[in-house]
Amino acid sequence: MPIGTPFHSRTAALSESHNWRNWSGYLVAGSYDVMHDYEYHAIRNSSGLIDVSPLYKYEVRGRDALKLVNRVMTRDASKCSVGQALYGCLCEHDGAVIQDGTVFRFAEDHFRFNLADPSLRWLKLNAVGMDVSIEEVSEQIGALALQGPNALKILQQVVDADLTQLRFFRLAVCRILDLPVVVSRTGYTGDLGYEIWIGRYQAERIWDVLMEKGKNFGVKPAGILALDVARLEAGFILLEVDYIGAEKALIPSQRYSPFEIGLGWTVDLKKEHFVGAGALKALNRNGGPRRQVVGLEIDLEEYESLYRRAGLPPYFPLVAWRGGLPVYKDDRQIGHATTGAWSPTLKKYIALATIEREFIPPGTRLDLEVTVEHKRQTAPAMVVRLPFFDPPRKRALFT
């Protein structure tokens, strides 16, 4: 049975919709209001406060801590400075991605993994013979994502550190209400944002002060439905939705390399060794992947005409759908779309899709399957570069 996160006493009191989701055995809000629109617009126009505590967290310490991180991550962790966050993939020996996630470096010999799926066994298997300790601290640490244009303004009201020069994917150890916290300039919305990592027994006090100090800046608690639309606009993939993790794949076509899911940039092929290195180097030498995640923009005029011919107003999905909709080229299926929704900011119907390599260049015209009045049809769509939405404030420094 799902249990509450360290913030459940606060989120439960605010949830008017009683729309809850099970995230790794924890209850998190799907939306607080009956509709998630206000929460989404807070993320894009003021600030949204999102409970992301269900992430799995593993502390790695010891003389060989760097060696272990480098062994299981596709990135070169030796280039990660103390106070920096690193995003990358964990792969199996054939190069298939187990999951993507972040690693924080707190000291020369101290890292922390923040992951979507449990990985304690995988880390320990790869640490055999190393001088390193691995501790799961998932239940000990609560986490909040404060995301949106006013996120920094709110944080500066409560932290004892100057965050104006905190760079993208860097972190600061500081205090809120004399309580120790870690603030990282990270997030899953593609906007200006920070994540606050807190001891579970101080979590409620941190929530209260962020909500109180954020009132004048339009802060709103935001749930998974709003987050899903925001991460789609940012072109961020989601494990078990946009790709299947190698540990859960049942057939070869369900196994994805980092190159196939748009994370080839996280693979350091010059690094001496990491799990999956040989397979990924061979794949790179042999011309790369046969398929890849791309962005699609659906042709609105043609899409609306499908409904008009049925005598119906057009339906635009305000809640992001998750599932495999076939994608065609000249009546031949060449891939499938995995996430799609109407983008309130861009005023476009957008989707993520995995398609054959031949059709990935931006500007390629394809067809997406849609169902109108119980009839399967297709609407034209165009391949576009990701991300769909990438505001300068996401990486900007402030004075």
PDB file of all heavy atoms in Angstrom, residues 89-100:
ATOM      1  N   CYS A  89      23.642   8.109 -17.924  1.00  0.00           N
ATOM      2  CA  CYS A  89      22.929   6.826 -17.999  1.00  0.00           C
ATOM      3  C   CYS A  89      23.689   5.744 -17.246  1.00  0.00           C
ATOM      4  O   CYS A  89      24.916   5.764 -17.177  1.00  0.00           O
ATOM      5  CB  CYS A  89      22.770   6.392 -19.449  1.00  0.00           C
ATOM      6  SG  CYS A  89      21.804   7.499 -20.479  1.00  0.00           S
ATOM      7  N   LEU A  90      22.942   4.785 -16.724  1.00  0.00           N
ATOM      8  CA  LEU A  90      23.487   3.528 -16.240  1.00  0.00           C
ATOM      9  C   LEU A  90      23.127   2.474 -17.280  1.00  0.00           C
ATOM     10  O   LEU A  90      21.956   2.354 -17.664  1.00  0.00           O
ATOM     11  CB  LEU A  90      22.876   3.142 -14.886  1.00  0.00           C
ATOM     12  CG  LEU A  90      23.383   3.868 -13.634  1.00  0.00           C
ATOM     13  CD1 LEU A  90      22.884   5.307 -13.620  1.00  0.00           C
ATOM     14  CD2 LEU A  90      22.917   3.144 -12.373  1.00  0.00           C
ATOM     15  N   CYS A  91      24.116   1.722 -17.746  1.00  0.00           N
ATOM     16  CA  CYS A  91      23.894   0.758 -18.826  1.00  0.00           C
ATOM     17  C   CYS A  91      24.287  -0.646 -18.413  1.00  0.00           C
ATOM     18  O   CYS A  91      25.100  -0.844 -17.502  1.00  0.00           O
ATOM     19  CB  CYS A  91      24.710   1.146 -20.063  1.00  0.00           C
ATOM     20  SG  CYS A  91      24.211   2.681 -20.848  1.00  0.00           S
ATOM     21  N   GLU A  92      23.723  -1.631 -19.114  1.00  0.00           N
ATOM     22  CA  GLU A  92      24.178  -3.003 -18.986  1.00  0.00           C
ATOM     23  C   GLU A  92      25.341  -3.220 -19.954  1.00  0.00           C
ATOM     24  O   GLU A  92      25.721  -2.326 -20.707  1.00  0.00           O
ATOM     25  CB  GLU A  92      23.021  -3.966 -19.269  1.00  0.00           C
ATOM     26  CG  GLU A  92      21.971  -3.945 -18.169  1.00  0.00           C
ATOM     27  CD  GLU A  92      20.987  -5.095 -18.260  1.00  0.00           C
ATOM     28  OE1 GLU A  92      20.912  -5.741 -19.326  1.00  0.00           O
ATOM     29  OE2 GLU A  92      20.271  -5.334 -17.261  1.00  0.00           O
ATOM     30  N   HIS A  93      25.898  -4.418 -19.947  1.00  0.00           N
ATOM     31  CA  HIS A  93      27.124  -4.681 -20.716  1.00  0.00           C
ATOM     32  C   HIS A  93      26.913  -4.563 -22.224  1.00  0.00           C
ATOM     33  O   HIS A  93      27.872  -4.296 -22.960  1.00  0.00           O
ATOM     34  CB  HIS A  93      27.685  -6.061 -20.358  1.00  0.00           C
ATOM     35  CG  HIS A  93      28.235  -6.131 -18.967  1.00  0.00           C
ATOM     36  ND1 HIS A  93      29.497  -5.680 -18.637  1.00  0.00           N
ATOM     37  CD2 HIS A  93      27.668  -6.563 -17.813  1.00  0.00           C
ATOM     38  CE1 HIS A  93      29.705  -5.843 -17.337  1.00  0.00           C
ATOM     39  NE2 HIS A  93      28.615  -6.368 -16.810  1.00  0.00           N
ATOM     40  N   ASP A  94      25.673  -4.743 -22.693  1.00  0.00           N
ATOM     41  CA  ASP A  94      25.430  -4.607 -24.131  1.00  0.00           C
ATOM     42  C   ASP A  94      25.095  -3.172 -24.524  1.00  0.00           C
ATOM     43  O   ASP A  94      24.721  -2.913 -25.671  1.00  0.00           O
ATOM     44  CB  ASP A  94      24.308  -5.550 -24.565  1.00  0.00           C
ATOM     45  CG  ASP A  94      22.963  -5.180 -23.942  1.00  0.00           C
ATOM     46  OD1 ASP A  94      22.924  -4.321 -23.039  1.00  0.00           O
ATOM     47  OD2 ASP A  94      21.937  -5.768 -24.357  1.00  0.00           O
ATOM     48  N   GLY A  95      25.244  -2.232 -23.588  1.00  0.00           N
ATOM     49  CA  GLY A  95      24.988  -0.831 -23.876  1.00  0.00           C
ATOM     50  C   GLY A  95      23.545  -0.400 -23.690  1.00  0.00           C
ATOM     51  O   GLY A  95      23.224   0.772 -23.883  1.00  0.00           O
ATOM     52  N   ALA A  96      22.656  -1.335 -23.317  1.00  0.00           N
ATOM     53  CA  ALA A  96      21.252  -0.978 -23.104  1.00  0.00           C
ATOM     54  C   ALA A  96      21.101  -0.186 -21.821  1.00  0.00           C
ATOM     55  O   ALA A  96      21.693  -0.527 -20.781  1.00  0.00           O
ATOM     56  CB  ALA A  96      20.392  -2.232 -23.055  1.00  0.00           C
ATOM     57  N   VAL A  97      20.314   0.867 -21.858  1.00  0.00           N
ATOM     58  CA  VAL A  97      20.154   1.767 -20.717  1.00  0.00           C
ATOM     59  C   VAL A  97      19.265   1.129 -19.655  1.00  0.00           C
ATOM     60  O   VAL A  97      18.134   0.717 -19.932  1.00  0.00           O
ATOM     61  CB  VAL A  97      19.542   3.109 -21.162  1.00  0.00           C
ATOM     62  CG1 VAL A  97      19.338   4.031 -19.961  1.00  0.00           C
ATOM     63  CG2 VAL A  97      20.431   3.784 -22.198  1.00  0.00           C
ATOM     64  N   ILE A  98      19.782   1.060 -18.441  1.00  0.00           N
ATOM     65  CA  ILE A  98      18.974   0.621 -17.298  1.00  0.00           C
ATOM     66  C   ILE A  98      18.065   1.760 -16.866  1.00  0.00           C
ATOM     67  O   ILE A  98      16.869   1.591 -16.689  1.00  0.00           O
ATOM     68  CB  ILE A  98      19.879   0.188 -16.130  1.00  0.00           C
ATOM     69  CG1 ILE A  98      20.771  -0.974 -16.545  1.00  0.00           C
ATOM     70  CG2 ILE A  98      19.054  -0.164 -14.905  1.00  0.00           C
ATOM     71  CD1 ILE A  98      21.842  -1.316 -15.524  1.00  0.00           C
ATOM     72  N   GLN A  99      18.643   2.939 -16.714  1.00  0.00           N
ATOM     73  CA  GLN A  99      17.903   4.156 -16.405  1.00  0.00           C
ATOM     74  C   GLN A  99      18.836   5.345 -16.529  1.00  0.00           C
ATOM     75  O   GLN A  99      20.056   5.202 -16.589  1.00  0.00           O
ATOM     76  CB  GLN A  99      17.299   4.096 -15.006  1.00  0.00           C
ATOM     77  CG  GLN A  99      18.307   3.979 -13.868  1.00  0.00           C
ATOM     78  CD  GLN A  99      17.626   3.996 -12.510  1.00  0.00           C
ATOM     79  OE1 GLN A  99      16.818   4.866 -12.199  1.00  0.00           O
ATOM     80  NE2 GLN A  99      17.950   3.012 -11.684  1.00  0.00           N
ATOM     81  N   ASP A 100      18.243   6.529 -16.608  1.00  0.00           N
ATOM     82  CA  ASP A 100      19.012   7.764 -16.576  1.00  0.00           C
ATOM     83  C   ASP A 100      18.799   8.421 -15.214  1.00  0.00           C
ATOM     84  O   ASP A 100      17.808   8.161 -14.535  1.00  0.00           O
ATOM     85  CB  ASP A 100      18.589   8.709 -17.702  1.00  0.00           C
ATOM     86  CG  ASP A 100      17.101   9.035 -17.658  1.00  0.00           C
ATOM     87  OD1 ASP A 100      16.280   8.097 -17.732  1.00  0.00           O
ATOM     88  OD2 ASP A 100      16.741  10.220 -17.545  1.00  0.00           O
TER      89      ASP A 100
END
